[in-house]
Amino acid sequence: MSAGLNLAQLQAVHYTDGACLVLAGAGSGKTRVITMKIAHMIEKGMDPRRIAAITFTNKAASEMRERAKGLIGRRAKDVLICTFHALGVRMVREDGHVLGLKPQFSILDADDVTGILKEASGGTTDMATARQWQWVISKWKNMGLTSEQALAQAADDNERIIATLMARYEERLAAYQSVDFDDLIGMPLRLLRDFPEVRAKWQAALGHVLVDEYQDTNATQYELLKLLVGEKGHFTAVGDDDQSIYGWRGATLDNLKKLPVDYPHLKVIKLEQNYRSTSAILRAANNVIGPNPKLFPKTLFSELGEGEPVRVVDADNEEHEAERAVARIQSLRAEGTLAQTGAQHKEFRDFAILYRANHQAKPFEKALRKANIPYKVSGGQSFFDRAEIRDLCAWFRLWANNDDDPAFLRAVTTPKRGIGHTTLGTLGVYASQYKLSLFEALFSSSLGAALSTKALGSLHEFGRYVNDLEFRARHTEGADNATAFLREWLKEIDYEKHLHDGEESEKVAAAKWTNVLEFCDWMAARCGGQIEDVAGVTERELKSLLEVSQTIALLSTISEREKDQNVVTLSTLHASKGLEWPHVLLVGVTEGMLPFKMGDGADSLGGSSKADEAANEDMATRLQEERRLMYVGITRAQRSLAVSWTRRRKKGRELVTALPSRFI
């Protein structure tokens, strides 16, 4: 089972006696180590149901499941392999009743949260301010603070206002029987901390917990892990302090510092052999990360040979830089074709162009289009994540399943129809009391005792309308009929006006409306017997709109199929983490971009006051994180790496002189 592992990997796989920290350098085979360790524990007799492996993304969880299945077959399905949030959902579904939550609670997305906060302020604020409140509340929740605690330690009037809003927000979530993403970590923590019987149950259920990307955990996740594993501390944390790039999201390296203190017998194992990159690429990576202070010093090495030197390319401006990038891709592909060997042939999918911020993609998109080179932009917003598409999906989900409470809450308030949070709060309490879904509760004979005649009338009108839509959708087949039905429905609910009312910019509202029409055409095409490939299923038969609505859940799998495309990838450095390509072009590496906005004397601040010292410390911390971001970019490359910078770059509408990044 352990064939082909190096000495450090073997050590990591076989150590199961207590707390273990595996420092896995980039490309050092960490996923392999985690899955091998799961297999090893099962071989040694541990029940697969007592093993949990926690990852940060659904993609990582799904990859780990596949690998585990390849190693141990059917037993892999009993291992709990999921994200922190999915584990949170499971815990709250099983034990949330002790916090007064029903098992069918709703999970609100970021847009729902912004809307509730805007409404909690009396509807007087704009979306941008509501989003800023959301960030602050999220930060407080990740620190484990309630609204009362946040208010007690508020530093100024602004924080006091936000803490007061947080209290109103918490009230609304309780009334709606809903949670947000931060609650999916915070609530399990409360369950384990405040309810000894729940803690005992979960500690008994889990014999060993493995955490991937440990450097990305925040303070709440660390406390959750501690309570899950208990004093015996049977866990394996796998991470790399050099790849911690999510400080802005609450991730903290303090979690790595705390481990040896909280677990004095912690076994630390370093994986320093890299199986991805050539020595030339790794030398560049080690040189860039070198100046950062080290919690656990390590140096990556490779046995894949020296490889070609890292190229540093300069350009006059962003357009020139994009032209040079395209020329490099064409030249490397031509070499591959001339070599006439399968191993040397370079496909479009072998290339990635990586940059610090989304707006840097534009000139590269133009240059690739001009050269007829296919590409995809990764790390941007998925079409199905857009607010307007999610609005429509909520209505479709509600037609297909009346008991979908999150869909009900979104549909009933989008567009607004005079049903306010007080009415919905009363409905939520009533539904919870009688263990009904919100939609079922709406038609209950005794609901009238809890609501005014006007509020009850508005709810009944909405309920009848949804039933009517469901009936019509069930009997609508064929693309033309579906298109006519959807257009008529959008007109009935006045959705175009809703978009224009909610946006300050006419241009943005018009773009959203175009997305809506495009999505409706996509839905209609699926009713018309046109071939549509969803999750690997080819469908030809006529379908009713209701049947199509029931497959809405499969939509997210469309974007996951992108990996099969033979295209050049354009991606932000943050979104590239965990991925790799034979040939990487790291672009826009200038002072002010990478490191980001630090070109103004960040290294030479010399303050004497406490405020200056704090500012210096903050600047140094940010610079270290930017250096780690550059390191992540470099270590995505397997065979060749080109790093480019421009003498001038766009800042707003003007061109400003630029300098190569200090990291070069």
Side-chain angles (χ1 to χ4, degrees), residues 431-505:
S432 172
Q433 188 181 344
Y434 293 101
K435 297 185 170 46
L436 302 167
S437 71
L438 294 171
F439 193 83
E440 279 178 306
L442 176 158
F443 289 114
S444 270
S445 53
S446 56
L447 181 64
L451 285 170
S452 71
T453 313
K454 185 174 179 251
L456 189 65
S458 300
L459 282 174
H460 281 172
E461 188 188 334
F462 175 71
R464 281 194 295 269
Y465 184 51
V466 170
N467 283 336
D468 176 51
L469 287 170
E470 181 193 332
F471 178 81
R472 281 153 63 191
R474 192 187 300 282
H475 295 93
T476 299
E477 285 186 353
D480 293 343
N481 292 336
T483 302
F485 169 74
L486 290 170
R487 296 285 164 100
E488 191 184 333
W489 164 63
L490 289 170
K491 210 168 172 180
E492 285 170 3
I493 63 170
D494 223 348
Y495 191 73
E496 188 176 7
K497 181 178 183 295
H498 162 76
L499 288 178
H500 283 277
D501 290 348
E503 288 297 334
E504 279 140 40
S505 152

Side-chain angles (χ1 to χ4, degrees), residues 559-571:
S559 49
E560 285 163 19
R561 294 175 63 75
E562 280 180 356
K563 58 182 175 287
D564 304 325
Q565 296 174 302
N566 187 19
V567 296
V568 172
T569 299
L570 270 65
S571 171

Side-chain angles (χ1 to χ4, degrees), residues 264-533:
H265 302 298
L266 180 75
K267 176 91 167 166
V268 180
I269 300 162
K270 296 177 192 176
L271 306 184
E272 295 172 295
Q273 182 169 354
N274 173 292
Y275 293 94
R276 176 187 298 156
S277 311
T278 60
S279 296
I281 291 167
L282 284 189
R283 199 160 49 248
N286 287 331
N287 287 343
V288 165
I289 203 70
N292 269 11
K294 294 282 181 284
L295 287 174
F296 304 94
K298 66 178 180 318
T299 305
L300 292 186
F301 69 92
S302 167
E303 290 179 359
L304 297 173
E306 177 62 19
E308 70 166 79
V310 173
R311 305 283 168 97
V312 176
V313 182
D314 58 352
D316 297 333
N317 53 38
E318 280 120 326
E319 282 70 25
H320 184 215
E321 182 181 34
E323 284 165 19
R324 297 198 75 168
V326 167
R328 177 171 172 82
I329 291 170
Q330 289 169 325
S331 152
L332 283 169
R333 287 193 79 238
E335 282 172 27
T337 310
L338 286 170
Q340 292 298 312
T341 65
Q344 283 284 309
H345 187 70
K346 298 174 179 76
E347 303 279 354
F348 287 125
R349 66 166 65 86
D350 294 341
F351 294 88
I353 298 173
L354 308 181
Y355 37 78
R356 176 65 177 80
N358 273 314
H359 70 81
Q360 291 173 278
K362 199 169 262 181
F364 295 94
E365 288 195 62
K366 282 183 183 168
L368 289 165
R369 277 204 297 266
K370 192 176 166 190
N372 284 324
I373 293 175
Y375 68 90
K376 67 171 179 185
V377 181
S378 180
Q381 191 186 36
S382 154
F383 185 72
F384 297 108
D385 282 340
R386 295 174 195 273
E388 62 275 21
I389 304 303
R390 294 177 78 102
D391 286 347
L392 302 197
C393 286
W395 279 88
F396 298 154
R397 278 165 40 199
L398 191 58
W399 303 348
N401 171 18
N402 293 161
D403 291 336
D404 186 334
D405 279 7
F408 178 94
L409 285 171
R410 190 158 189 147
V412 78
T413 52
T414 317
K416 289 214 171 358
R417 52 182 60 249
I419 298 173
H421 81 265
T422 313
T423 301
L424 289 174
T426 307
L427 180 68
V429 170
Y430 181 92
S432 172
Q433 188 181 344
Y434 293 101
K435 297 185 170 46
L436 302 167
S437 71
L438 294 171
F439 193 83
E440 279 178 306
L442 176 158
F443 289 114
S444 270
S445 53
S446 56
L447 181 64
L451 285 170
S452 71
T453 313
K454 185 174 179 251
L456 189 65
S458 300
L459 282 174
H460 281 172
E461 188 188 334
F462 175 71
R464 281 194 295 269
Y465 184 51
V466 170
N467 283 336
D468 176 51
L469 287 170
E470 181 193 332
F471 178 81
R472 281 153 63 191
R474 192 187 300 282
H475 295 93
T476 299
E477 285 186 353
D480 293 343
N481 292 336
T483 302
F485 169 74
L486 290 170
R487 296 285 164 100
E488 191 184 333
W489 164 63
L490 289 170
K491 210 168 172 180
E492 285 170 3
I493 63 170
D494 223 348
Y495 191 73
E496 188 176 7
K497 181 178 183 295
H498 162 76
L499 288 178
H500 283 277
D501 290 348
E503 288 297 334
E504 279 140 40
S505 152
E506 283 291 312
K507 199 175 166 190
V508 173
K512 287 188 167 191
W513 179 243
T514 305
N515 289 337
V516 164
L517 296 179
E518 192 184 313
F519 180 63
C520 287
D521 289 345
W522 184 91
M523 289 282 290
R526 297 205 55 218
C527 298
Q530 295 179 23
I531 293 172
E532 189 67 49
D533 194 344

Side-chain angles (χ1 to χ4, degrees), residues 218-277:
N218 60 36
T220 318
Q221 285 162 332
Y222 180 71
E223 292 305 317
L224 178 63
L225 176 68
K226 268 178 71 177
L227 288 169
L228 265 181
V229 299
E231 285 175 16
K232 64 183 187 307
H234 281 212
F235 69 87
T236 304
V238 183
D240 180 6
D241 49 342
D242 290 334
Q243 293 187 69
S244 177
I245 57 172
Y246 292 115
W248 49 277
R249 216 164 59 182
T252 172
L253 283 174
D254 287 349
N255 290 355
L256 275 164
K257 290 177 194 164
K258 283 181 194 165
L259 274 181
V261 179
D262 289 341
Y263 300 94
H265 302 298
L266 180 75
K267 176 91 167 166
V268 180
I269 300 162
K270 296 177 192 176
L271 306 184
E272 295 172 295
Q273 182 169 354
N274 173 292
Y275 293 94
R276 176 187 298 156
S277 311

Side-chain angles (χ1 to χ4, degrees), residues 34-50:
I34 293 171
T35 47
M36 287 279 200
K37 187 157 188 167
I38 292 170
H40 174 73
M41 288 188 288
I42 293 171
E43 293 278 300
K44 290 282 175 193
M46 186 177 280
D47 183 342
R49 286 169 300 194
R50 299 195 65 230

Side-chain angles (χ1 to χ4, degrees), residues 237 474 548 584:
R474 192 187 300 282
V548 173
V584 168

Side-chain angles (χ1 to χ4, degrees), residues 18-33:
C20 177
L21 171 62
V22 179
L23 290 160
S28 61
K30 69 179 177 68
T31 308
R32 190 162 182 235
V33 164

